[in-house]
Amino acid sequence: AIATGSSDTLTNILNTPLKSPPGTAYLYSSMAAYLLGPIIEHFAQMPADQYIKQNLMGPLNIDSATWGGGVVDTGGGLFLNTRHMLKLGDAMLHNGTINITTVLSANWVNQSVATSQSFFQPYGLLWWLYQPEIKKPTVYDSYSAVGYQGQYIFVYPKYGLIVVRVHRVENTRDENRLLKIFWEDFTNIAPTLVQ
């Protein structure tokens, strides 16, 4: 089984000082998401990769799931092919049910795509929420899972639509790397759109 993180990573996360007291501010942190692996292991009493495979990936027939670096990194280390990203989006679109098999509870799906706290409204439980109109800032009609350097699963329930965006991983730490990635994608695809 794959180990959930390394003890060094976990120790470093747990020793990182808080920027503000719990319950007083919102700050996205991959470190917080990373802690889900050890939490799963603690409560499931089994390795996180086995639990995730048994309870999510297996029922969805997702066999491409691999963890980068040989550890379960729930903060950004899951690798899936495009078809399997679509399956995850489909499970969310259909309230946790795929081909009449319930994989996720509808209650959990609905809670995941609702505002999770009052400090930053457009964020659920690991899902980013989008509003249809600027005039209605607290109404969200679509959501996405956002992965490392431009990997997305967008879900638009109103239209029954799932959009997956995949991108190559850039190894540079240039502060403008995401802007460059989006611009390179646009300039590469734009000529095909006008033909």
Side-chain angles (χ1 to χ4, degrees), residues 2-186:
I2 296 174
T4 302
S6 71
S7 59
D8 289 344
T9 301
L10 190 54
T11 299
N12 289 339
I13 290 171
L14 296 175
N15 287 329
T16 299
L18 297 174
K19 293 210 180 240
S20 56
T24 62
Y26 168 84
L27 173 67
Y28 177 82
S29 169
S30 291
M31 290 189 299
Y34 182 95
L35 293 174
L36 291 175
I39 290 169
I40 289 169
E41 284 195 357
H42 175 78
F43 285 101
Q45 292 296 299
M46 65 190 314
D49 64 319
Q50 288 180 12
Y51 181 84
I52 293 167
K53 183 176 182 179
Q54 177 181 318
N55 293 287
L56 180 64
M57 302 304 179
L60 289 175
N61 292 316
I62 293 176
D63 58 9
S64 71
T66 59
W67 298 95
V71 297
V72 175
D73 178 356
T74 50
L78 177 63
F79 292 81
L80 295 173
N81 69 31
T82 306
R83 290 177 191 264
H84 291 158
M85 291 171 72
L86 279 167
K87 281 189 176 187
L88 281 177
D90 198 36
M92 294 298 289
L93 177 67
H94 293 101
N95 292 317
T97 301
I98 296 287
N99 299 329
I100 70 167
T101 301
T102 300
V103 178
L104 304 166
S105 79
N107 184 45
W108 184 86
V109 170
N110 291 327
Q111 188 177 356
S112 296
V113 298
T115 297
S116 60
Q117 34 63 48
S118 61
F119 304 105
F120 183 72
Q121 298 288 318
Y123 193 68
L125 302 177
L126 301 180
W127 291 87
W128 297 89
L129 314 176
Y130 303 100
Q131 59 198 36
E133 299 176 34
I134 301 293
K135 297 173 190 169
K136 299 178 183 176
T138 59
V139 175
Y140 304 101
D141 72 344
S142 56
Y143 49 90
S144 75
V146 178
Y148 182 65
Q149 290 194 348
Q151 320 306 318
Y152 291 91
I153 302 171
F154 290 100
V155 181
Y156 301 90
K158 180 179 176 180
Y159 303 106
L161 180 65
I162 305 157
V163 176
V164 170
R165 180 189 190 272
V166 293
H167 197 279
R168 68 193 176 283
V169 175
E170 299 290 333
N171 290 323
T172 62
R173 285 292 174 195
D174 178 349
E175 65 183 42
N176 295 316
R177 71 186 183 282
L178 291 180
L179 180 60
K180 288 178 185 177
I181 289 169
F182 293 130
W183 179 250
E184 287 173 15
D185 283 351
F186 177 75

